[in-house]
Amino acid sequence: MKSLTLLAISAVAAKASPTAEPIRPNHDSASANANRIFNAIHSAGRQWGSSLNHNGFGFIPVTLSAGALLYHGGYSKDPPEGLEWLAFEVEHAENFVRVPRHPPNPPKGPEHEGQPQAPSSPQKFLVQPETEAHRDRDSEGRIRGYLQTYQTTRDVQLLYIDGSGAAKSPIGTLDSQDHVLFPNSSWQWYNIQSEMQRATAMCDMITKWGWAGIMRMEIGFEVIWCDFKSDDLQHESSVRALIQEDRLKDDDFMSPYLWTRAVAERYDGLCGDRVKMDFSSMVSGFFFPINISHTDPERPDLIRLKAAKLKHRLDIRTYLQKVFEEPRRFNVNWQGIVDMIVTRFSKRLAAMASTNVSTDIFIGELEGAVLAYYEAPGLPDDVTLAEDEDNRNKTAEAIDRCATQYLKSSQSARKDWTLQDDLIHTALSDVMQHICNDLYVMRTVLLRAAPDTSTDAYFINKSIKSSDMEKAVNQSRAIVRSLVHELAWTTWRKPQLCAEDEILVTVMWPFGDTEDYYNPGCVSFHEITEQRRSYWRPYEKRPRDF
Ligand SMILES: *[C@@H]1O[C@H](CO)[C@@H](O)[C@H](O)[C@H]1NC(C)=O
Ligand SMILES: *[C@@H]1O[C@H](CO)[C@@H](O)[C@H](O)[C@H]1NC(C)=O
Ligand SMILES: *[C@@H]1O[C@H](CO)[C@@H](O)[C@H](O)[C@H]1NC(C)=O
Ligand SMILES: *[C@@H]1O[C@H](CO)[C@@H](O)[C@H](O)[C@H]1NC(C)=O
Ligand SMILES: *[C@@H]1O[C@H](CO)[C@@H](O)[C@H](O)[C@H]1NC(C)=O
Ligand SMILES: *[C@@H]1O[C@H](CO)[C@@H](O)[C@H](O)[C@H]1NC(C)=O
């Protein structure tokens, strides 16, 4: 009876509104994608994480600072007209000064999405489409390449497309552009005309809001600058380059290396305060209840925006346009909060997940993290008397302190939060809750492994070498590994200079040996002691307080 009534009601509802309600960003989706949102914020504007998580799901309005320098490889001394590409790094732009521009040929054989076909010359995909180049090729005389330098005259707004949005590839890097911003597009990844149409369509969209361009990433960050005639960009200089034939052979041999190295310096950020991100206006596919499955059985890890229904992608498009038309906020620098969390836990969790570190270090790392938040037992002769101890759940209190600590700084702007701020907060809170819960679960597991553990035991007894203790450590390590697997921080995919139980050390008063000044290097945990101070005490033996 009840279900019949419900059916009747939903039938009426369906009749009343033949088109389904648009999907909205919501907290359940933010929770379901918490780790991905966390990582997208961590990687925004950074070459390392945005290369590994190359299928971007997010759109962030960003401000490019007044005075920022940008570079363009051109075939004329003069600035281009209309729309063109700018690079953040000299080496990136130099590639387009150097390389003769030809539109690449489409891949041979039947076109099949999701099954990448090698282009006839992958190198040519690095070439930016340029209308002026075609024109100049037809004109008389020798065409020379110029490295053009530009400077912004004021703060300008760009639309940042996260991940590797400038990677012309069929594996999902273009989904946010070709399937969300322009869900009905039939642009092709390999086609230079498509790239031009894509850029033009995006410029048509964002210039309506008074924005200057689109920021994307390939090997290096770029800006699609929508109008070179705008006063927002000042032409600083054009430096003529050698013609190809006059270049030394080894220049071509070196340039991919030098380009890669220049860009690799941006793994952790663009530097120079060039770009400021308005996370309060970030719109991400991860905020919506959509299908983000992989579409290639060989790459189950490759999530795709394209997997979402057309209707859902249209809803996201409508929503993001509404958000972007609103004023900028910059309520909270969520990336700063994420960085605090990652730098606190990344190396610790890596050490704990490694079978190379001893049980003692495992327990030491764990206690270092958990006891900072866990109140030690009170004693009757304490100067400051403990409050009512019995009715408190100290573990629950500690988890709460641990999970909320880094998010507290976001609270001062809470009254101004946008829905986006709130969704990001939900995602980051979930991540912290997960980390902190797991840490205290491990502590409980290890405490229980010691015989006769009292209810208010504080330290895990490291001198117990029973098989129960070994089992508990193994069980805890499995918890860390599963946590590390789920968090999937890109910091763990970066090769490290030092082993998990070592630190790169120099003299930091009061610690540091002479060697740490003249020859800084990796120092093992058991060599970092209170006695490691020789550098600071070179001359005499006298009583000292420090
Ligand atoms: C895309 O196509 C759908 C279905 O044909 C249509 O409803 C929608 O308005 C189109 N959207 C855009 C942005 O062109
Ligand atoms: C989600 O998308 C994938 C890939 O397109 C598809 O195979 C799957 O059936 C979709 N799932 C749902 C629930 O629609
Ligand atoms: C573990 O330690 C061994 C011996 O010290 C070393 O060769 C190996 O590279 C280490 N493994 C990791 C993952 O650090
Ligand atoms: C204390 O809180 C922790 C974490 O929420 C929970 O696992 C535990 O069961 C609680 N202990 C008691 C005695 O309620
Ligand atoms: C730790 O365990 C050892 C070996 O069982 C025992 O002798 C010692 O008393 C324990 N220490 C504490 C503080 O419980
Ligand atoms: C703990 O793990 C190690 C390494 O994987 C294994 O050799 C050992 O047998 C395990 N110990 C117990 C008690 O499960």
Side-chain angles (χ1 to χ4, degrees), residues 451-483:
D452 311 322
T453 301
S454 69
T455 48
D456 62 349
Y458 187 68
F459 286 116
I460 298 156
N461 190 336
K462 293 197 192 68
S463 47
I464 294 172
K465 307 286 178 205
S466 66
S467 79
D468 275 356
M469 184 52 96
E470 200 184 311
K471 235 182 252 163
V473 170
N474 282 5
Q475 192 188 340
S476 298
R477 191 165 279 133
I479 293 172
V480 178
R481 290 191 162 181
S482 145
L483 177 65

Side-chain angles (χ1 to χ4, degrees), residues 277 279-280 330-335 337 409-410 413 417 421:
M277 307 224 166
F279 290 103
S280 307
F330 301 100
N331 289 329
V332 181
N333 177 11
W334 292 105
Q335 192 174 49
I337 290 176
S409 67
S410 69
W417 280 11
D421 286 315

Side-chain angles (χ1 to χ4, degrees), residues 95-96 99-108 116-129 166-170 189-192 218-219 256 259:
N95 179 63
F96 304 108
V99 178
R101 291 152 205 254
H102 304 292
N105 302 317
K108 295 197 180 74
Q117 307 255 348
S120 56
S121 162
Q123 178 68 25
K124 287 176 186 158
F125 279 82
L126 304 170
V127 178
Q128 310 279 10
K168 272 68 77 180
S169 159
W189 62 272
Y190 52 78
N191 185 306
I192 214 121
E218 50 183 13
I219 178 161
W259 179 10

